[in-house]
Amino acid sequence: MINNIKRAFAVLSLMIFGSAVLYNCEPEIDSLGEQLFLNDGTNGNEVSYDLIAYNIDNNNAVRADYNTLGSAVIGAFNEPQFGRQEASYFTQIRMSAYDPDFGTNAVVDSVVMVLKPVIQQSSDSLVTTTNESYVYPDGNVDAKLELKTIPVTKYGRTKTAGNITPLTLKVHEVTEFMGSFTDSVYSNKEYSAGVELGSKVFRGLAKSVTITKDSDNSVLFTSTNDIRIPLDKTFFQNKIIAKKGQPELKDMSNFIRYFRGLKVSVQENDGYLFSINPNDAGTQVIMYYKYDKTENGTTTATRASYNFGLGAGNAHSSLINYTRPAGFTAAINADATNGHAKLYAQGMGGPSIGVKFRPDVIQGLRERFKNDKTAIVSAKIRMYTDSLNWNNSLLKPSELTIVQRYKKKNSTDIVSSFTSDITSLSGAPNFAYMRAFNLDKNPAYYEFTVTKSLKDIVEDTEQKDFSDKYFKIDLAQFLRGSDGVALAGYNLTTRPFARERMVFVGSDPLHSRKIQLKVVYGSK
């Protein structure tokens, strides 16, 4: 019963978990620790301790499939610390209705692939142009065309010679069966691809188009925040129209084995990374065609369109390729027993950071707790960005994740969970598991609350061995539940599509900003 109550309290704490990350100028004492000594004449002392911090090599791979890709990244970016990163997107394609009748003598006019990018939210980036003399081609209708452009969110070398860096988007047919959308796929999985179906020079803008008829102001065409890539109409004439009435188009099972999917990549080796919403209903392929329609003995060429879905329900995945510099590889592979001087963190299969308490620090705190009647009021891991090795204009992330892990006894299995602070303290006023400081400066730094986690070890003097317990820090954000407040789960994060990377100061004994444990304790 007691265990059930504890679990219920933990769940309730997560449900009322408000702001996970706050941005302050000064660190604050955690509410629960503060309550231990309120109005009791307690003296608080802050002491800094060294930590064992090291790089965790994730082998440049992360699960990146339908169940994990809230966004999908496309592009290429090369920088000296982490090397070159290239991101491609694979997706199945499904018919909106099977065994279709395209009509008599159907001929494809054009085909377009529509992607829905993640856009900048700043309204001052929106540019609107209007053509009052536009003629809509279907029936030569006098109309007005309104075009709105807005930048997509980009990470990397976004400008060249003062202009937005162009990327050449390429679309290829996938020739390997992609399986089911429930299958697990990792970011190093490359599906076989065949002929190129289309390309587009992308200049970093999403476009919205509205065409209205002059005579009655009715809407003839509308689209919102699209990237549109023209595809080969002859390919679709032969692949789709010519197969009318044949088994390949009869049902979904046959079709996804016949037309296995599409790959979107970039031609360049350097530039930037941008994100799309793979599950958006507007992510699709639209085939425009004409067919002969006979009425009252008169045959006319009639325009029509047919949509293929690329969004929800389709298997899709990210392919992430890395070309690492020698210095990065040497740092990641170094002996982590005493920690690494430089810490590398990167989303999308890049490295994570591991942090351990030093045994001598725990022993010293236990002696204080036992002999001097002290208690931990607050404990934080403070981690600085490396001002020498990470001095650039790239946006510093405002959120990172932290989980606690340990190895099972007599096993190589690793158990992960939220930190004790998140599960136990998240309901406390002003609690934040992490705070970010000076993000617009060099260096910036981050603090992770580990008060409860440290107290659990220090105050449990019977727990002799804690060497297999550590924290794992990632450049990502925790995903939230449907209410938009509670965290969805310790393993549900943006890591599969987080574009950021960062170099931090690690366990470097000679560095003034080495990673440290900041402990505030009180004594009576």
Side-chain angles (χ1 to χ4, degrees):
M1 175 65 73
I2 292 176
N3 288 334
N4 289 337
I5 292 173
K6 287 181 178 178
R7 282 195 293 268
F9 177 76
V11 172
L12 178 61
S13 296
L14 282 177
M15 290 179 64
I16 61 176
F17 180 72
S19 176
V21 182
L22 301 174
Y23 311 102
N24 296 333
C25 296
E26 300 293 338
E28 298 178 357
I29 293 177
D30 296 301
S31 298
L32 185 62
E34 188 179 25
Q35 291 168 7
L36 296 174
F37 300 103
L38 275 176
N39 304 317
D40 208 12
T42 302
N43 296 318
N45 303 279
E46 182 177 274
V47 182
S48 298
Y49 298 99
D50 289 349
L51 290 161
I52 302 171
Y54 54 94
N55 296 295
I56 298 175
D57 187 356
N58 293 308
N59 298 312
N60 296 328
V62 65
R63 185 175 169 185
D65 52 44
Y66 178 85
N67 291 295
T68 59
L69 289 180
S71 295
V73 178
I74 300 171
F77 179 41
N78 191 11
E79 46 83 17
Q81 293 297 322
F82 290 83
R84 186 168 68 245
Q85 179 181 8
E86 300 173 24
S88 304
Y89 171 62
F90 290 93
T91 181
Q92 283 179 330
I93 178 170
R94 302 191 185 215
M95 305 187 79
S96 55
Y98 291 94
D99 198 18
D101 183 0
F102 299 112
T104 304
N105 298 327
V107 178
V108 177
D109 279 339
S110 63
V111 183
V112 64
M113 182 181 195
V114 183
L115 301 177
K116 293 291 186 177
V118 179
I119 63 171
Q120 294 183 7
Q121 296 302 317
S122 175
S123 60
D124 59 3
S125 300
L126 183 68
V127 176
T128 302
T129 57
T130 302
N131 181 356
E132 299 281 358
S133 303
Y134 181 76
V135 177
Y136 188 61
D138 188 2
N140 294 321
V141 179
D142 291 335
K144 179 177 75 172
L145 184 149
E146 183 181 73
L147 171 65
K148 296 180 179 180
T149 60
I150 190 166
V152 306
T153 60
K154 295 178 283 291
Y155 184 89
R157 192 163 287 103
T158 58
K159 289 191 176 182
T160 302
N163 298 313
I164 295 176
T165 303
L167 291 178
T168 306
L169 303 180
K170 298 267 187 187
V171 181
H172 288 80
E173 180 189 15
V174 173
T175 57
E176 179 180 348
F177 179 53
M178 292 184 62
S180 168
F181 72 93
T182 59
D183 293 343
S184 296
V185 182
Y186 281 78
S187 59
N188 54 3
K189 168 61 179 176
E190 181 169 11
Y191 293 98
S192 300
V195 297
E196 181 181 319
L197 301 182
S199 66
K200 177 186 180 68
V201 176
F202 175 60
R203 302 191 184 278
L205 299 172
K207 297 181 179 181
S208 299
V209 176
T210 302
I211 301 174
T212 53
K213 191 175 181 180
D214 284 349
S215 60
D216 58 8
N217 209 36
S218 60
V219 176
L220 298 172
F221 176 84
T222 184
S223 68
T224 305
N225 294 333
D226 295 341
I227 299 173
R228 294 188 163 226
I229 308 172
L231 303 183
D232 183 355
K233 66 179 184 180
T234 302
F235 173 88
F236 278 82
Q237 182 74 38
N238 297 329
K239 191 82 174 180
I240 303 298
I241 298 295
K243 293 293 182 179
K244 173 186 171 181
Q246 298 186 28
E248 289 87 341
L249 310 188
K250 288 288 186 180
D251 56 48
M252 181 184 69
S253 179
N254 281 341
F255 185 74
I256 62 175
R257 287 167 174 81
Y258 166 63
F259 194 165
R260 294 167 179 168
L262 297 171
K263 174 187 178 182
V264 185
S265 59
V266 298
Q267 177 176 288
E268 292 76 10
N269 294 321
D270 193 12
Y272 55 86
L273 306 169
F274 70 96
S275 299
I276 64 169
N277 295 313
N279 296 315
D280 192 297
T283 304
Q284 58 187 325
V285 169
I286 306 173
M287 180 178 70
Y288 298 94
Y289 67 98
K290 293 189 185 78
Y291 68 96
D292 289 343
K293 183 177 181 180
T294 302
E295 289 182 340
N296 300 321
T298 302
T299 300
T300 56
T302 303
R303 293 178 181 269
S305 64
Y306 188 91
N307 292 7
F308 300 85
L310 305 178
N314 285 287
H316 50 239
S317 63
S318 285
L319 170 67
I320 315 297
N321 288 322
Y322 291 97
T323 304
R324 299 296 194 184
F328 172 90
T329 304
I332 292 295
N333 292 335
D335 179 14
T337 302
N338 298 309
H340 291 148
K342 288 194 297 183
L343 302 175
Y344 294 81
Q346 183 180 30
M348 298 171 65
S352 307
I353 296 171
V355 181
K356 287 184 178 182
F357 298 128
R358 291 174 59 94
D360 58 317
V361 170
I362 297 299
Q363 184 59 36
L365 288 171
R366 281 178 171 175
E367 290 175 2
R368 284 179 181 269
F369 171 72
K370 181 179 179 180
N371 301 325
D372 300 335
K373 306 303 181 184
T374 63
I376 296 168
V377 179
S378 171
K380 305 198 186 276
I381 294 171
R382 181 179 293 180
M383 188 168 64
Y384 282 90
T385 60
D386 189 325
S387 59
L388 178 62
N389 293 285
W390 198 253
N391 184 11
N392 53 50
S393 60
L394 293 171
L395 185 68
K396 295 181 177 71
S398 60
E399 293 191 44
L400 287 80
T401 63
I402 182 170
V403 298
Q404 57 191 29
R405 309 179 96 189
Y406 69 90
K407 289 183 180 179
K408 289 183 178 180
K409 289 184 178 180
N410 303 318
S411 172
T412 58
D413 293 343
I414 296 177
V415 177
S416 300
S417 65
F418 280 126
T419 65
S420 300
D421 298 83
I422 291 177
T423 56
S424 300
L425 303 178
S426 57
N430 299 322
F431 171 78
Y433 77 84
M434 192 214 74
R435 289 183 172 91
F437 300 82
N438 300 334
L439 295 182
D440 58 341
K441 296 180 175 62
N442 184 35
Y445 69 95
Y446 299 81
E447 288 188 343
F448 301 87
T449 299
V450 292
T451 309
K452 182 67 166 57
S453 302
L454 181 61
K455 285 168 67 70
D456 288 346
I457 294 175
V458 170
E459 297 179 7
D460 183 4
T461 56
E462 298 301 318
Q463 185 182 171
K464 303 297 183 184
D465 184 17
F466 54 88
S467 59
D468 285 338
K469 295 185 176 181
Y470 64 98
F471 299 102
K472 177 174 172 283
I473 295 172
D474 276 303
L475 242 62
Q477 299 177 24
F478 285 118
L479 297 177
R480 301 188 182 277
S482 57
D483 61 0
V485 177
L487 303 184
Y490 75 88
N491 59 339
L492 298 177
T493 75
T494 62
R495 184 170 162 253
F497 47 92
R499 299 167 296 182
E500 297 80 10
R501 71 287 311 274
M502 190 90 73
V503 182
F504 297 91
V505 182
S507 299
D508 185 348
L510 302 179
H511 204 296
S512 61
R513 296 192 181 98
K514 61 187 173 183
I515 187 170
Q516 287 195 316
L517 175 66
K518 301 288 186 178
V519 178
V520 176
Y521 65 89
S523 59
K524 297 189 177 183

